[in-house]
Every structure is written in C-alpha cells, then in structure tokens.
Amino acid sequence: MRRVRPTRILVYLFLLAVSGWILLPLWSGVVTALKSSQEVVLSTPLTPPARPTLEPLKEALDYLKRPLLNSLVLVGAGTMVSCFFGSILGYLFSKYRFRGSNLLFLLVVICLYIPPQVQLIPMTQFVSKVGLYGKLGALVLLYMFFGIPMCTFVFKTLYEEIPESYIKAAQVDGAGIWTIYRRVILPLSVIPFVIAALLQVTIIWNDYLWGLVLTRGMDNMPVTVALANLKGSFVGAWNLQMAGSIWVALPTLVIFIFLGKYIVRGYAGL
Amino acid sequence: MKKVAVGTFLVLFCGGLALAGLGQEKPSILEIYHWWTSGSEKAAIEAAIDVFLSKYPDVTVIQSPVAGGGGITMRQVIHTLMLAGEAPDSFQSYPFGLVPYWQAGMLQPIDEVWTEEVRANIPDVVEDMCKMPDGHYYAVPLGIQQAGVVFYNKHVFEKYGLQEPRTWEEFWQICETLKANGVDAIALGDRNAWPLTYIFRTLVAAEGIEYYEAFINGQITAPNDAGLLDALNKLNRMLDYVNSDHAALTWDQAVALVAKGEAAMNIMGECAVGELLIAGLDYPEDFDVFFLPGTEDIYGVSLDVFCLPKGAKHPETALKWLKVLVTPEAQAAFAAPKGFIPARTDAVLGPEFSDYQRASMERFKSVKYYRPGMWSGTPPAFMTQLTDIIADKIGLQRNPAAAAAAIAELQASTEWPITWDLGPKG
Amino acid sequence: MAKEKLIVGLLVLPALVSTLFFFYGFSGWNLYVSFTNWEGFVPSYRLVGLANYVSLFRDPLFWTSLKNNLILIAIFVPGTMLVGLVLAILLDQEVRGEGAFRTIYLLPFSLSFVVTATLWAWMYSPRVGTINFLLDKLGLGFLKSGWITDPNLVMYCITAALIWQFAGYSTVIFLAGLRSIPESHIKAAQVDGASSYTIYRRIIVPQLKASFVTSFIIFMCFALKAFDFVWVLTRGGPGYSSHILGVTMYKETFGLEKYAYGAAYATVILIVSLVIVVPFLYRVYAKEGR
C-alpha cells in the first residue's frame, strides 16, 4: 500500500474532471448517431435529438458487418504475429550484445519514422507481382511485417528491465537461447505484450491508407474504409458515420478492457 | 497463457490465409471504383448497376467505393493502381482528371460505345468532355449536375421583401438589407477549402462566356487583368456578408443554415438540393434558385464520367458496362435519386424526379451557352493550387491583388492540354 | 546450445530481413525518385541531382510546414507524456473503480482518427461548438475564440486534441511502468522516513525509464504521422496555417502530381525525425556504456 497521501477527495475529483474532458467530445458523436437525416441538417452537433432513432445504428451495422469481420481477422493475425516476432527480436536485442547489434536496433527503430507514402507505390507493385492484390491476405501480411519494428522496440525496451542475473542463472543451468526465452522471458512478457498489443490493435484498426489501396471490393474492405464511406462524398450523412463509429469502437474497447486487466501489480512478476 | 497465445495466433493466421484465399476469380466480373459511397448517391449508383444487371444477370459487379469526391483520395488510389498494373475495369473521374492517363497511353478509346444514336441524344458539350485531343472518345457521362446555382430560402426573402436580383447592384442591395437586419446573406462552409473557390469559379463565369473560355484555356496571364480583379473583388466583398464561423463549417452545414433560415443564400452545385430536400424543404415553395448576374444564359456542366483503362482484367465486360450507362434507362435511373439530370436528352423523367430536377432539365435544354465546371475542364493540379490561392489570399488575407497575381502566374505556368470552344451550343 | 541458436535464427532471420527490405528497399526507391524529375502521372527517371531539395528549401510553404510540425512535436510529445505520468500516478493510489477510469481514458484511443477529428471540429466550431457553448454557460464567455478558424490558434487546437486522443494510452504505459517497480524499493525508502515527494522523485520516476523511452519514441512516431487527423480537422487551413509536413507532402504528390518533389519531402520528414530521435536514443543508452 502506497504511503503517499494526497487528499483522497482531490484525487477522485481530478480523475473525474479528466473523465469529463475525455468524454466531452464524444457527446456530439453519440447525439448525432441517434438523429434522423432530417434532424442532422436542421440541428447542430451540440443539441440532443428531439426524436431519437436507432435507424442510423441499424443501417451502419448492416454496412459494417463484413468490414468488422475483416478487421478483426486483420487485427488478430497482425497483432499476434508481429508481437511474436517482436518479442523474440526484442529479447535478442536486449540480452545479447553482438557486433553491430546497436546499429541494427537503430535501423529497426528508424523504420517507425519512414512515412508510409514512401512505401505506397512500390508496395502495391510488389503485392501485385506476388499475386495477392485485392485480397485480404495482402493486408494480413503487410500488418504482420509492418508491425515488427514497433513491437521489437517495445519488447526490447521493456525486457531491459529484466535483471541480467536471471539470464546468467539460467545459462549456468545450461539453458540455450530458446530455452531461456521460454523459461525466463516469456512468463514475464505479459505487460510488454499488453503495451505492444494495444498499439498494434489501434494502428491496424485505424489504418486507412493500405486498406484503401490494397483491397478491392466491398467484401474485403477493412472497417476504416467502410467508416469513411459512410459519411458519403457529396452528402452529409454524419449520423451514419457517427453510428458506424460506435460499432467500430466496440471491438477495440472490448479488447482494451480485456488487456487492461493485466496491468496490475504482480504481473510484472519481479 | 503461452498455449492460448499460440493457439489463437495459429487460428487467426490460418483464418487470415483462408480469407485471403477466398475471393477466387469467378467468371464474368466487373470491377469498378467510384465515390458514391452513401445515402442518395449510393442509391443512384445502385440503380445504374441494377439496370446493368437486368441486361447481364450473370455478371458479378465488384464495387470499390472511395469516399472523398473527385479529389485527391481517388486520384491517389487510381494512380497507385495504374502504376502497379492493377487497373480496375472502370472508374469514375472528372473528365479532365483522365487527361494524364490518356497522355500516358493508359486509356482505351471507346468509340464503339458512341454510336450515331448515342451521339444524337447527348448534348455536344457533354460529348466534347468525353473526348480527348486526338478526337477519340474515352469516357461516358453518368449524371450531369448543374454548377454555380444560388439557392435561397424563400421565406427569408419574403420576410424582408426581397426579389431575385437581376443586376449586381440589386444583389449587393439584398446583401446589405439582410446584413442590416442581422441575417447572414450568404452561407459558406469552407473548412475543406473548396466551397470558397467554388464561388470564385461561378464569378469567373459571371464575367461572360468568352472570359470563362479564356480562363479555362489558360489565357489570363496578366496580374492586372480586369476580369480577374473584378471577380476577385466580388468574392472578397461577398465575404463581408458571410456567416462568421464559415472556416469551421463543412459545405453541408452551410446549406443547413439556409434550410433553417439562419442564412439566406448559398452558392453551390446541385448536391445542395439533396440536403435541402432531406431537411424537408419543398421546391419552389420553401427554396428557389436564381443565377448570378452574368450567368443567366449559361449552364455550368459538372460531369462525372467512367472510362476504360488499359490493362483492365475484364475489358469486354467493361465495354458492356459503358454501353449500358449511355442508355436512357440507365441515365434516368441514376439521375433520379441523386438530384442529377440524365445526360441523354431523350431520357424519360419518371415520377421519381423532383420538381427541381425537371426545372433543371428544362434549363439545360433551353440555355444558350454551356460551360464545363472547372474540375471537369481544367487540370487537377491547377485546381488544387487555385483552391490554395483563394483559401489563403482571399479567405485569410482578403487581398484580391495578391490573389490576382498568383492566379495569373499559375495560369501562365500550367500546361493546358485541351482547348475549349464554348461558342453558342458549343 | 547450437541447435537452439539455429532454431531462433531460422525463426527470426526471415522476418527481420523481409521487414528491413520492406522499409529500406522501398525507402531506397523513394530516395532515388527524389533525385529524378518525375512530375505528372508518367514516371520519369531522369536524374536531376539535388534540384528537388533545393526547391524544397526555397519554398516558404516548406518552412511553414516544418515550423508547424515542430510546434506539434514540442507540445504534443512532452504534453502527452506528462499527462500520462500524472494520471498514472493518481490511478496507482489504490483508487476504487480504477478499471472504469482506465477504460474511459482509453476511449479516444479506440476511435478512428477520422471520427475524432470530426468530433473535435464540432467541439471547436465557434458558433455551434461545444467549447464556446460551455464557456458561455460557465460565465467565461470572454475566453471564447475562433479556435480552428483562427490561424494563430489552430496548431495549438490540433495539438490539444491529439493529446486528448493519446492520453489514455500514455497512462497505460506509465501505469505499467509504475507497477513493475518492486515494492521492496519503495518500502525501504519509506522505512527510512522519506517524504512521498522524495520517494517519487528519487526512486520511482528514475525507474520509469522504460516508460519514458517507450512513450517518447511512440509519440514521436504519431506526431509525424498525424496527417489523417489534421487533414480531416482543418485540411491544413485556414489558408496554410495548419499545414504540417505530411499534409504538404500529400498535396504535392497526389494533388499536384509532383512525385519527385513529394519524395524529397518524405526524405526530409525522415531526416527531421532522425535528428530528434537518434540523439535521444544515444543519450539514453550511451549512459549505460552500451
């Protein structure tokens, strides 16, 4: 139990105030999602609906059914695989120094700052040559690979907190690289995994550019493309888009709640 | 924990690959890209596709809607696809947007679609917009909407005893009267920059059809050009009568101000009609239209077209699609939900067409001159920079002289592959 | 031992190599393009040396975009880290309903940029927006402003909205960091009679190094990729006042079809990030004699 003692009331008040700040912008979104098209035009985003309707929610869900499924697959496969590789690579970088490991790690981190537009055209050409164009598989592979630098960085940084003594002890027992990973590192990976997964889920779920260019047809659309479509090009279908964004936020929120449970004392295992 | 993780990973990995494997090629496919993603525009494209499917029921139409209008997003996607060799069978574009692809030799001529019958029933100006400088046809029109219309709230006008203006003095008088009564004369929503330039484009047309022709042919290269300065000064003056929060609103929120009676007028294309109708207003009881002095005998043609790229995987199906699009049935089916008018003059305006659309069609048939809307008639790079110049020099700095200098320079430095001739019925 | 090395190698090497190929191979292509004169749709690979970079540095729009980007980075990165740290410390006080607070704070993070940018546009709208409305209601009407319609304020408005978006995730990073500090360290200091402030300053915060490094690198990454958000919120306006490097690059490449010029922009964006990130990493790791 922490012995720190700010006035408990103040703490709660502050946390509640912050919650208010977080929730405030969402008010307009929720309110708009419940308006009919006519009301959207005749009222402002601030005012609650005079005649709330669930129509936009129904219509949006109908449009989003398949894209939601697509994005879940993308997020699942992309997160799992990049976290898997990121974890192993992070382990190697953090516990084994070899010639050029610093430089190599730096190269990996720099990948995070390469603007995606740079890769747009050559990546599309590559995907086309490999014959994967237009199918969801192209995105799956892309997210797997593009997530590796980020995950490697997160895992490496957090694995560094694991004391060297643990590794040395295992080596004394005759454990090799892989065994050390399985016995020592993996059990301590819950928190790094949560941090990396939260990030990967958000990045993949929110990606618009690759989903737009690399998939074709409404069966393959990820959810962000579908969400942008709901707004319309020359119509102001805000209620549909806001309703859609509620549906789109739900799966990520569920994942976040599930992952958040692991950020509790004791799971670091130290 | 580890077993769960590995298990989930395997399941999802396989699931991912399986989904990737799905969507194997079926026979008779048509892959199209367009930007009609929602609401009435979606209803419109679905209607056109239905007409197509009624003639070719064994074709699977794979649509890839791309939200964002004919602007950057669609161009980004199509450029990337063309460069990667994955061109779709057909895609939507503004007519001028096709010029770079034509210059690169990436479009197929489709003269066979433009039969005698088709050409006889499509107005010349539309035909010209579907041709390239080599004289061949490369596109088919889908839905004409009028550009540069002034929509106004009838009740607001009646309240202050205002009439549709016939001269510019009358127009400014209306604005002054409204301002004196605390009403925003003109509603503007230029958070996304283009609506302000939209008004400018209409003002260029108000300088007369010859001037407009010179402008879209890139001949206005003197910074002190009288017509240019006049148009910019009018635009600048209009900003005195505009709602104060215009830079935070989108175009549809501006139209909403007119619908609610909080502003009187809005200068827009016919997409505004959709919003006004959704709001429950009727034409011509609640809202009506007039045309800026100088544009009364000009019809601004905003055209969307479909084309046939080289390297399309199903060119025969694509040709069938294009041929169906130019039939009166498809044109009428498409135009009705969206508020467009059909490109074919022999199309039947059934009961689904609103009174407004009928009025627009009448005007289309009876007007003296036609002008291509600027996004339809000038290079996209020019339009992008024009939008920036207007947004910065007029919207922000309120400096017509600086804007004129910048625009003149832009005109001089742009390449103009197409020369327009807008003579009577041109 | 050798066998294990082989397993790991086989597992890891293809992934590493492919990843590096996807990033550096393509960057190499981009770099090459930036030295050509490719303009317009048809690719042109004629080399023109540094001409694109020269025009870039002569372009006032580039400097405006760079300035805006630096403002964004300078406020957003430390701002989000600070907010996360403070919230994490508070949430760590055995607060009832911690899970609920954490979930609420993560809500923005679960929403797409496209949606949150629209929500903030509605918040910042001068006449019908939430912020000015509330200011009026609270009697603080004099604080009302044009927000995103004011070219002097717009970058700060954008930055504040971005901090809102990432605050929850930042909290999670620091909370995880706090929770991984061994109890024993804290208890020892408490037994020694240290005040809570000292405990935080001397013991806890230094041990949050991993959280600081992680959040810095990640938020730098997002600051440079904030393109989607800015595009939907202001389109870079009013005028050019909220253009950031990503926005300008996008317009040059696909709006004006100047691919080579856009490629030069991309290279410069990368260099700007490196100038900030590499010294940071160096300082962090060099201290340990790595």
Side-chain angles (χ1 to χ4, degrees):
Chain A
M1 171 116 173
R2 288 241 180 283
R3 269 317 128 103
V4 208
R5 252 177 225 170
T7 323
R8 301 290 286 177
I9 310 277
L10 271 181
V11 170
Y12 277 101
L13 274 180
F14 188 75
L15 289 175
L16 281 170
V18 171
S19 304
W21 172 61
I22 296 281
L23 292 174
L24 190 62
L26 304 181
W27 160 259
S28 295
V30 171
V31 146
T32 307
L34 296 172
K35 288 183 182 167
S36 67
S37 299
Q38 176 172 30
E39 245 199 290
V40 168
V41 180
L42 290 178
S43 65
T44 69
L46 195 52
T47 56
R51 269 181 302 270
T53 160
L54 293 176
E55 271 310 304
L57 281 167
K58 286 193 217 148
E59 209 183 313
L61 184 60
D62 194 57
Y63 191 81
L64 289 172
K65 279 198 304 256
R66 184 62 197 261
L68 276 171
L69 190 63
N70 292 339
S71 280
L72 280 173
V73 167
L74 288 174
V75 157
T79 308
M80 285 301 182
V81 174
S82 32
C83 281
F84 175 67
F85 284 117
S87 145
I88 300 185
L89 281 169
Y91 155 63
L92 291 176
F93 278 121
S94 67
K95 296 306 169 201
Y96 295 95
R97 250 154 286 354
F98 48 93
R99 263 224 318 257
S101 66
N102 277 353
L103 182 61
L104 195 58
F105 181 66
L106 190 64
L107 283 180
V108 170
V109 172
I110 289 176
C111 289
L112 294 175
Y113 299 101
I114 295 179
Q117 254 99 19
V118 161
Q119 305 157 308
L120 184 63
I121 295 176
M123 187 65 181
T124 315
Q125 288 173 323
F126 176 81
V127 165
S128 165
K129 287 210 176 70
V130 173
L132 272 177
Y133 178 78
K135 315 205 183 101
L136 214 52
L139 275 185
V140 171
L141 283 175
L142 185 138
Y143 292 137
M144 286 183 198
F145 283 114
F146 280 24
I148 289 181
M150 182 77 86
C151 293
T152 307
F153 165 76
V154 170
F155 279 102
K156 184 243 187 200
T157 311
L158 294 173
Y159 281 159
E160 265 167 11
E161 303 297 301
I162 300 177
E164 294 283 335
S165 49
Y166 286 37
I167 315 285
K168 294 255 164 40
Q171 280 172 337
V172 160
D173 285 346
I177 292 189
W178 180 248
T179 321
I180 297 183
Y181 177 70
R182 265 182 44 224
R183 295 242 184 83
V184 179
I185 304 288
L186 216 43
L188 298 177
S189 298
V190 178
I191 295 219
F193 176 75
V194 168
I195 307 254
L198 278 176
L199 208 52
Q200 269 298 84
V201 166
T202 301
I203 290 176
I204 297 177
W205 196 256
N206 267 315
D207 171 64
Y208 179 67
L209 181 67
W210 295 112
L212 181 66
V213 175
L214 289 184
T215 65
R216 176 168 293 180
M218 299 178 53
D219 278 346
N220 287 321
M221 256 194 301
V223 99
T224 6
V225 178
L227 197 56
N229 285 352
L230 278 178
K231 193 230 142 236
S233 299
F234 289 109
V235 291
W238 301 108
N239 51 347
L240 272 184
Q241 189 181 42
M242 287 300 143
S245 54
I246 293 179
W247 293 119
V248 171
L250 279 180
T252 30
L253 216 49
V254 166
I255 297 178
F256 287 175
I257 296 178
F258 172 69
L259 288 176
K261 288 212 177 70
Y262 292 96
I263 317 227
V264 285
R265 185 155 299 285
Y267 260 87
L270 289 172
Chain B
M1 164 73 192
K2 182 193 158 203
K3 288 210 175 59
V4 170
V6 173
T8 326
F9 148 58
L10 279 172
V11 164
L12 285 163
F13 189 71
C14 296
L17 287 181
L19 257 179
L22 284 177
Q24 296 300 327
E25 292 284 294
K26 301 189 201 79
S28 246
I29 292 191
L30 177 71
E31 294 180 318
I32 58 177
Y33 277 66
H34 61 80
W35 58 70
W36 290 305
T37 59
S38 188
S40 56
E41 49 191 27
K42 181 156 161 257
I45 186 70
E46 301 277 344
I49 293 179
D50 281 340
V51 171
F52 175 73
L53 287 175
S54 70
K55 299 210 164 95
Y56 300 100
D58 57 329
V59 176
T60 312
V61 178
I62 298 184
Q63 306 177 51
S64 295
V66 175
I72 283 191
T73 321
M74 178 65 105
R75 273 215 303 291
Q76 177 189 30
V77 173
I78 297 290
H79 275 15
T80 311
L81 293 181
M82 295 276 236
L83 287 171
E86 289 283 348
D89 295 321
S90 190
F91 62 90
Q92 177 183 1
S93 175
Y94 291 134
F96 215 100
L98 292 179
V99 171
Y101 303 127
W102 169 75
Q103 285 173 326
M106 303 203 61
L107 288 184
Q108 298 206 40
I110 51 171
D111 295 337
E112 60 183 274
V113 176
W114 287 81
T115 61
E116 280 274 358
E117 186 235 355
V118 168
R119 276 180 287 155
N121 286 302
I122 290 190
D124 289 343
V125 64
V126 175
E127 240 189 271
D128 285 339
M129 286 160 90
C130 296
K131 277 197 247 186
M132 286 291 146
D134 65 356
H136 291 282
Y137 294 93
Y138 286 87
V140 300
L142 188 62
I144 298 176
Q145 57 163 327
Q146 187 169 196
V149 183
V150 185
F151 298 93
Y152 69 96
N153 186 314
K154 261 259 173 81
H155 303 292
V156 172
F157 265 41
E158 276 160 10
K159 180 169 174 190
Y160 298 103
L162 302 169
Q163 303 277 358
E164 292 179 12
R166 249 151 311 201
T167 65
W168 279 103
E169 293 84 51
E170 286 177 24
F171 179 81
W172 297 122
Q173 190 53 49
I174 293 178
C175 294
E176 279 296 324
T177 313
L178 287 165
K179 187 167 182 177
N181 283 291
V183 176
D184 290 320
I186 303 172
L188 177 67
D190 63 340
R191 195 175 107 212
N192 288 330
W194 63 267
L196 186 61
T197 317
Y198 195 90
I199 303 181
F200 173 70
R201 284 137 56 183
T202 315
L203 286 171
V204 172
E207 297 290 321
I209 192 71
E210 287 107 16
Y211 190 81
Y212 190 82
E213 186 186 298
F215 192 86
I216 64 175
N217 283 335
Q219 293 165 353
I220 310 294
T221 52
N224 53 358
D225 181 280
L228 184 60
L229 280 169
D230 186 48
L232 287 168
N233 279 317
K234 289 197 174 107
L235 183 65
N236 193 29
R237 191 169 169 190
M238 279 197 194
L239 281 177
D240 289 334
Y241 302 105
V242 147
N243 48 309
S244 57
D245 60 343
H246 59 93
L249 299 182
T250 48
W251 69 270
D252 54 289
Q253 289 177 299
V255 177
L257 290 178
V258 175
K260 289 185 272 190
E262 293 173 24
M265 304 182 272
N266 181 252
I267 304 174
M268 188 42 66
E270 284 175 343
C271 42
V273 177
E275 297 295 306
L276 292 167
L277 291 177
I278 288 179
L281 274 67
D282 279 322
Y283 170 85
E285 295 84 23
D286 299 312
F287 77 90
D288 204 336
V289 305
F290 66 86
F291 297 89
L292 287 179
T295 62
E296 299 90 342
D297 53 358
I298 306 178
Y299 191 101
V301 178
S302 239
L303 194 62
D304 293 323
V305 298
F306 272 88
C307 62
L308 176 59
K310 281 206 181 117
K313 303 240 164 63
H314 316 95
E316 332 75 40
T317 327
L319 274 174
K320 290 182 193 160
W321 163 247
L322 297 173
K323 287 186 182 154
V324 167
L325 282 184
V326 283
T327 59
E329 298 88 21
Q331 289 289 325
F334 174 79
K338 180 53 185 148
F340 288 172
I341 58 173
R344 281 191 67 134
T345 49
D346 59 341
V348 172
L349 295 185
E352 337 74 75
F353 280 80
S354 68
D355 290 332
Y356 177 79
Q357 284 167 296
R358 290 172 208 281
S360 189
M361 187 73 164
E362 282 312 308
R363 181 158 199 266
F364 184 67
K365 288 189 186 156
S366 65
V367 92
K368 194 166 173 202
Y369 298 108
Y370 298 92
R371 63 174 179 96
M374 279 201 200
W375 271 105
S376 303
T378 57
F382 171 77
M383 282 310 296
T384 309
Q385 287 175 284
L386 181 67
T387 310
D388 278 349
I389 293 174
I390 300 276
D392 184 48
K393 305 251 179 318
I394 301 282
L396 200 53
Q397 295 178 29
R398 309 291 301 266
N399 187 340
I407 295 178
E409 198 198 314
L410 181 63
Q411 287 253 327
S413 62
T414 307
E415 266 186 47
W416 303 90
I418 292 187
T419 309
W420 297 95
D421 174 14
L422 304 179
K425 291 283 192 201
Chain C
M1 277 280 277
K3 197 176 82 164
E4 299 217 344
K5 273 203 185 133
L6 195 63
I7 300 178
V8 171
L10 278 175
L11 208 51
V12 147
L13 215 51
L16 190 60
V17 167
S18 329
T19 307
L20 291 178
F21 164 70
F22 282 131
F23 283 97
Y24 289 104
F26 295 158
S27 301
W29 180 85
N30 180 75
L31 190 64
Y32 179 74
V33 168
S34 75
F35 293 129
T36 68
N37 67 343
W38 181 1
E39 197 177 314
F41 175 65
V42 183
S44 152
Y45 293 114
R46 200 155 60 85
L47 288 171
V48 292
L50 289 173
N52 288 315
Y53 291 94
V54 169
S55 350
L56 196 119
F57 291 126
R58 288 220 188 109
D59 187 354
L61 184 55
F62 166 73
W63 294 105
T64 310
S65 314
L66 181 64
K67 183 190 85 159
N68 286 337
N69 237 139
L70 290 176
I71 293 178
L72 182 73
I73 294 175
I75 303 181
F76 167 69
V77 177
T80 315
M81 287 166 70
L82 187 62
V83 169
L85 178 63
V86 167
L87 289 177
I89 291 178
L90 290 177
L91 277 182
D92 196 38
Q93 306 303 315
E94 307 238 330
V95 164
R96 285 238 305 257
E98 177 201 312
F101 279 120
R102 215 180 43 228
T103 308
I104 291 179
Y105 296 165
L106 275 178
L107 269 175
F109 199 56
S110 70
L111 292 172
S112 145
F113 274 156
V114 168
V115 169
T116 51
T118 305
L119 290 177
W120 277 98
W122 290 346
M123 282 277 280
Y124 282 129
S125 202
R127 262 196 338 173
V128 299
T130 320
I131 295 185
N132 278 353
F133 175 79
L134 284 178
L135 284 176
D136 258 339
K137 282 273 183 284
L138 293 173
L140 295 169
F142 60 92
L143 283 175
K144 285 202 299 193
S145 161
W147 307 118
I148 54 173
T149 63
D150 182 343
N152 297 316
L153 283 183
V154 63
M155 270 323 289
Y156 302 101
C157 294
I158 295 177
T159 313
L162 274 176
I163 295 182
W164 171 89
Q165 175 112 20
F166 288 96
Y169 185 64
S170 186
T171 311
V172 166
I173 294 181
F174 283 102
L175 200 54
L178 282 174
R179 297 255 158 97
S180 64
I181 298 177
E183 287 279 1
S184 48
H185 294 200
I186 322 262
K187 289 242 162 49
Q190 283 165 348
V191 160
D192 282 349
S195 75
S196 40
Y197 175 69
T198 320
I199 293 183
Y200 270 103
R201 241 199 88 199
R202 284 279 151 74
I203 311 242
I204 294 187
V205 169
Q207 292 204 35
L208 286 177
K209 192 191 89 180
S211 301
F212 278 112
V213 172
T214 312
S215 53
F216 181 84
I217 296 286
I218 292 177
F219 294 135
M220 265 296 298
C221 178
F222 277 115
L224 285 151
K225 290 193 180 156
F227 162 73
D228 280 317
F229 190 79
V230 175
W231 187 256
V232 174
L233 185 56
T234 62
R235 267 288 197 280
Y240 297 114
S241 51
S242 63
H243 268 55
I244 55 174
L245 290 170
V247 168
T248 318
M249 174 175 79
Y250 185 60
K251 278 167 103 166
E252 296 287 344
T253 313
F254 293 107
L256 302 182
E257 322 237 332
K258 289 154 86 175
Y259 286 92
Y261 194 59
Y265 254 97
T267 314
V268 169
I269 293 181
L270 181 58
I271 295 180
V272 167
S273 358
L274 293 185
V275 161
I276 301 179
V277 166
V278 169
F280 174 80
L281 285 177
Y282 186 74
R283 249 198 63 175
V284 166
Y285 290 114
K287 275 200 283 198
E288 298 182 6
R290 284 179 63 115

